Amino acid sequence: MSNIVKISKEDIIYHIKISCQIPSLLEAIATRKIITETAEKAGITIEIAELQQSADSLRLANKLIKAEETWEWLQKHYLSLDNFEEIANFNLTSAKLAHHLFADKVEPFFYAHQLDYSAAVTYEVILDDEDLALEIFYALQEGEISFQEIARQYIENPEIRRTGGYQGIRKRSDFKPEIASAVFAANPPQILKPVITPKGAHIIIVEEIIEPQLNEQMRVGILSDLFTNWLKEQINKLEITATLGDDTKLSSSPVEMFSEAS
């Protein structure tokens, strides 16, 4: 076999088809069209200085510090300099459209869903035996054993065991409802009475409750979520028709192709 493998457009399309990537590809193309057309109707324009900044951000995101690195990246992805500019332009258009549609809705949304953005710092050990979990809970309260000791004894995952069962900073939505209700009712630092779920008996230390603040990071996150949800709604309204190079015509209703997004 030759060391050079020649791949045609037809090969690429065929691979996309048999690897079942057509639905996600069509959704991505439709999303791009929705953003471009909506931005045009809204009169959104891009200044040269803004485009340069977007291009710089794109290079930074891909760790393209030197011109040679940028050129190699373009070759790897079969892109031209014009394509690179198109990507930077589209990224900026998307950001400006999101701001145009939802900038004034971020603050009301935050205060309406403030509880959802609360977070907690917790440590956790899960046991199969509820009676043993309750016994350990009382021993912890009496100071007869430390949480580090039960973590070393009962946590199988070595990374989590080394950190003493540390779960990090987690939002309310990251917890199961029955655990969230107990965690966010705690008065930290507090050891919770074992919470029973299908996974077992959870012994949890609530170290800190973090009240949400509408800072810049939170604003960007909410804006992104609102924009993403809006795009999904627009996609679900469409019937997408595609004709491939082999004359195969695909037509899918939103329910058929995007059932997970509905």
Side-chain angles (χ1 to χ4, degrees):
M1 180 178 177
S2 171
N3 291 331
I4 299 176
V5 177
K6 295 183 179 180
I7 299 175
S8 66
K9 293 180 182 179
E10 291 73 21
D11 292 329
I12 295 172
I13 292 174
Y14 181 70
H15 175 77
I16 291 172
K17 286 177 64 176
I18 64 171
S19 58
C20 303
Q21 296 180 53
I22 290 290
S24 59
L25 182 62
L26 294 184
E27 182 175 349
I29 294 171
T31 298
R32 188 180 189 89
K33 288 180 177 292
I34 289 168
I35 291 173
T36 302
E37 292 174 7
T38 307
E40 185 176 345
K41 290 178 182 177
I44 291 173
T45 58
I46 305 296
E47 302 294 336
I48 294 178
E50 293 177 318
L51 183 58
Q52 181 59 56
Q53 186 175 0
S54 179
D56 291 343
S57 297
L58 180 58
R59 290 180 60 185
L60 186 62
N62 289 281
K63 300 179 181 178
L64 307 176
I65 309 302
K66 300 177 181 178
E68 294 81 4
E69 293 170 336
T70 302
W71 178 245
E72 289 174 2
W73 185 84
L74 290 173
Q75 287 185 311
K76 176 182 177 181
H77 294 281
Y78 289 82
L79 297 170
S80 66
L81 288 173
D82 287 341
N83 294 147
F84 187 84
E85 183 176 316
E86 289 172 12
I87 296 171
N89 189 298
F90 180 74
N91 289 347
L92 183 54
T93 300
S94 298
K96 295 186 80 168
L97 179 60
H99 189 272
H100 171 78
L101 293 174
F102 298 108
D104 60 345
K105 296 178 174 61
V106 169
E107 190 166 332
F109 185 89
F110 170 76
Y111 287 111
H113 301 82
Q114 195 165 357
L115 287 178
D116 297 336
Y117 293 101
S118 298
V121 180
T122 60
Y123 293 77
E124 180 181 69
V125 172
I126 305 175
L127 302 177
D128 295 329
D129 190 326
E130 295 180 22
D131 292 333
L132 176 60
L134 197 59
E135 181 182 329
I136 290 175
F137 166 71
Y138 289 122
L140 284 166
Q141 284 196 318
E142 296 298 324
E144 297 172 2
I145 192 172
S146 71
F147 199 86
Q148 285 282 352
E149 289 177 289
I150 66 169
R152 284 196 296 269
Q153 186 171 351
Y154 294 105
I155 295 178
E156 294 183 2
N157 184 297
E159 294 299 322
I160 300 177
R161 184 171 62 242
R162 292 188 190 104
T163 59
Y166 179 61
Q167 300 296 303
I169 300 174
R170 301 168 70 193
K171 294 192 299 185
R172 181 183 288 266
S173 59
D174 295 328
F175 293 94
K176 290 185 178 294
E178 59 268 40
I179 294 179
S181 59
V183 166
F184 289 95
N187 185 21
Q190 181 179 340
I191 303 171
L192 301 182
K193 190 174 181 179
V195 180
I196 310 303
T197 75
K199 280 189 173 183
H202 301 247
I203 303 176
I204 299 170
I205 290 182
V206 182
E207 183 177 86
E208 182 183 0
I209 299 293
I210 302 172
E211 298 300 332
Q213 294 183 349
L214 189 55
N215 53 26
E216 187 59 28
Q217 182 179 359
M218 182 70 73
R219 284 183 182 276
V220 171
I222 294 174
L223 187 67
S224 176
D225 289 343
L226 291 174
F227 187 53
T228 298
N229 291 335
W230 174 80
L231 284 171
K232 288 179 180 179
E233 289 174 3
Q234 304 311 302
I235 288 291
N236 288 335
K237 295 176 184 177
L238 300 177
E239 178 176 345
I240 301 174
T241 300
T243 302
L244 304 185
D246 57 0
D247 294 329
T248 301
K249 188 174 182 180
L250 303 176
S251 179
S252 300
S253 69
V255 174
E256 292 171 335
M257 184 165 293
F258 306 110
S259 58
E260 291 186 0
S262 59

